[in-house]
């Protein structure tokens, strides 16, 4: 990450650490929630939201609550994805997964609590107008639910051990992976309210980013370095999941990645010249070149 992204990442990490106060219920649920929140990660979704908002000539502080809420929902999804009933992973980012440390039932409840905390944060935002908060809550609930991330995960699970075509695979990942990345960009649009042509191109940019991210994930799952990934490679093969690599081969997946990379750059270059697109171009490079 470049210095700007690193600075935002550090600010997000600090806010996440402060976001879960101790409860009077005397459980260790908050410890479980913070364990996964503080387990690392690039924070690319909240960083992307803040960078987009700054590019639109807005104070990025207006997006902090939405950014923290977004990362909570992403974290909850990882906790649940790692459970034995789904991906059955023992490690995440080089550390034991939540259910390995706290047990399955508490991992489930930690994820539930993070999901609901996200909407609490946005609704309590003191900077944004009420109408903007409603827009953000509507957009995030749609991106997270049965039409977005959860729906994509459902279709992904139902597609295990069954042949699917590339169109179905893209449908899965537009929802499962792409929906929250799209929210990151479009939340900034909701807050800044730019002209329609800018909103349209940023939406397209976010859609290409989502597919880039997943194609790269599929490549790393087979060809990545386990020490950099923090988890074992080959889980998709083990679970008999269709991926861009299994359907298109390594070369075909890399061609798809290149296509979406170039398309994302083109979306940004079409924006009016008053916008400084350098940081959002850096996000494309980060997605394309990441090793974890």
């Amino acid at each position: 990450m470049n210095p700007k992204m690193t600075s935002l990442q550090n600010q997000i990490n600090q806010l996440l650490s402060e976001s879960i106060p101790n409860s009077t219920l005397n459980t260790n649920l908050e410890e479980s929630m913070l364990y996964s929140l503080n387990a690392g990660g690039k924070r690319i979704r909240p960083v992307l939201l803040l960078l987009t908002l700054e590019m639109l000539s807005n104070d990025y502080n207006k997006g902090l609550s939405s950014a923290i809420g977004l990362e909570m929902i992403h974290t909850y999804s990882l906790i649940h994805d790692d459970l034995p009933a789904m991906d059955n992973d023992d490690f995440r980012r080089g550390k034991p997964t939540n259910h390995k440390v706290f047990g399955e039932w508490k991992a489930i409840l930690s994820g539930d609590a993070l999901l609901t905390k996200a909407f609490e944060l946005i609704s309590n935002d003191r900077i944004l107008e009420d109408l903007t908060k409603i827009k953000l809550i509507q957009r995030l609930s749609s991106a997270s639910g049965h039409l977005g991330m959860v729906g994509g995960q459902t279709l992904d699970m139902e597609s295990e051990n069954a042949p699917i075509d590339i169109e179905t695979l893209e449908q899965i990942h537009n929802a499962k992976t792409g929906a929250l990345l799209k929210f990151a960009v479009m939340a900034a649009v909701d807050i800044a309210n730019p002209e329609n042509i800018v909103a349209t191109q940023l939406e397209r940019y976010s859609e290409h980013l989502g597919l880039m991210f997943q194609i790269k994930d599929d490549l790393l799952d087979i060809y990545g370095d386990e020490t950099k990934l923090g988890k074992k490679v080959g889980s998709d093969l083990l679970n008999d999941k269709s991926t861009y690599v299994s359907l298109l081969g390594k070369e075909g997946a890399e061609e798809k990645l290149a296509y979406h990379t170039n398309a994302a750059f083109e979306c940004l270059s079409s924006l009016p010249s008053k916008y400084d697109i350098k940081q959002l171009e850096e996000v494309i490079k980060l997605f394309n070149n990441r090793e974890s």
Side-chain angles (χ1 to χ4, degrees):
M1 282 190 170
N2 63 29
K4 177 66 179 181
M5 291 185 192
T6 300
S7 174
L8 291 176
Q9 182 188 55
N10 291 337
Q11 186 175 2
I12 289 160
N13 284 337
Q14 182 64 33
L15 289 171
L16 285 169
S17 295
E18 298 169 355
S19 65
I20 310 293
N22 288 329
S23 166
T24 57
L25 297 176
N26 297 318
T27 71
N28 70 339
L29 180 62
E30 292 79 22
E31 182 185 350
S32 175
M33 295 163 72
L34 286 166
Y35 175 83
S36 291
L37 278 179
N38 294 331
K42 297 183 180 69
R43 313 301 190 192
I44 191 60
R45 291 160 188 80
V47 166
L48 177 59
L49 193 160
L50 301 181
L51 289 177
T52 306
L53 190 52
E54 189 168 72
M55 187 207 73
L56 293 171
S57 302
N58 250 268
D59 177 5
Y60 78 75
N61 288 289
K62 292 181 179 180
L64 285 174
S65 292
S66 300
I68 298 306
L70 172 59
E71 189 66 11
M72 286 183 174
I73 287 181
H74 173 59
T75 302
Y76 118 74
S77 74
L78 299 182
I79 293 173
H80 284 190
D81 281 357
D82 289 336
L83 288 166
M86 288 204 271
D87 290 348
N88 195 24
D89 283 324
D90 294 342
F91 291 93
R92 167 76 62 179
R93 294 166 179 157
K95 298 179 180 179
T97 46
N98 194 293
H99 68 275
K100 285 294 180 180
V101 177
F102 296 95
E104 288 182 37
W105 67 264
K106 191 158 285 180
I108 293 169
L109 293 177
S110 295
D112 294 344
L114 286 169
L115 169 62
T116 49
K117 186 70 177 180
F119 295 104
E120 179 188 331
L121 284 176
I122 297 173
S123 64
N124 287 335
D125 190 299
R126 295 183 179 182
I127 300 176
L128 300 176
E129 295 180 357
D130 288 346
L131 184 57
T132 303
K133 290 191 284 188
I134 291 170
K135 283 183 180 179
L136 290 167
I137 290 169
Q138 288 174 332
R139 188 183 292 279
L140 186 54
S141 56
S142 178
S144 305
H146 74 104
L147 298 176
M149 179 185 69
V150 172
Q153 174 70 357
T154 303
L155 186 55
D156 191 25
M157 295 294 294
E158 289 179 347
S159 299
E160 286 185 6
N161 305 307
I164 61 172
D165 55 27
I166 193 68
E167 288 78 17
T168 303
L169 186 66
E170 290 194 353
Q171 185 182 24
I172 290 170
H173 295 308
N174 276 325
K176 179 183 175 181
T177 305
L180 289 189
L181 285 165
K182 186 173 182 177
F183 172 83
V185 174
M186 299 310 291
V189 170
D190 286 339
I191 295 168
N193 196 28
E195 53 266 49
N196 287 339
I197 189 170
V198 173
T200 298
Q201 292 294 29
L202 286 175
E203 185 170 24
R204 290 173 179 164
Y205 163 76
S206 69
E207 290 167 352
H208 290 299
L209 279 184
L211 289 172
M212 279 182 66
F213 192 93
Q214 189 58 51
I215 295 166
K216 188 70 175 186
D217 239 26
D218 288 353
L219 286 163
L220 288 173
D221 187 69
I222 297 178
Y223 304 104
D225 184 334
E226 288 185 1
T227 59
K228 294 178 181 177
L229 287 170
K231 62 180 182 179
K232 286 188 174 295
V233 299
S235 62
D236 290 334
L237 286 173
L238 185 63
N239 292 322
D240 198 19
K241 286 188 176 182
S242 293
T243 68
Y244 286 91
V245 178
S246 69
L247 293 183
L248 303 176
K250 184 173 186 285
E251 184 177 338
E254 288 173 342
E255 287 176 0
K256 272 279 189 184
L257 178 61
Y259 166 77
H260 289 293
T261 300
N262 292 332
F265 277 120
E266 289 172 7
C267 290
L268 294 180
S269 64
S270 70
L271 295 177
S273 59
K274 66 179 179 178
Y275 294 113
D276 184 354
I277 61 175
K278 291 187 181 65
Q279 291 295 335
L280 294 191
E281 288 180 325
E282 288 298 314
V283 174
I284 300 173
K285 296 173 187 175
L286 177 65
F287 277 31
N288 190 63
N289 299 324
R290 68 189 181 95
E291 297 181 316
S292 63

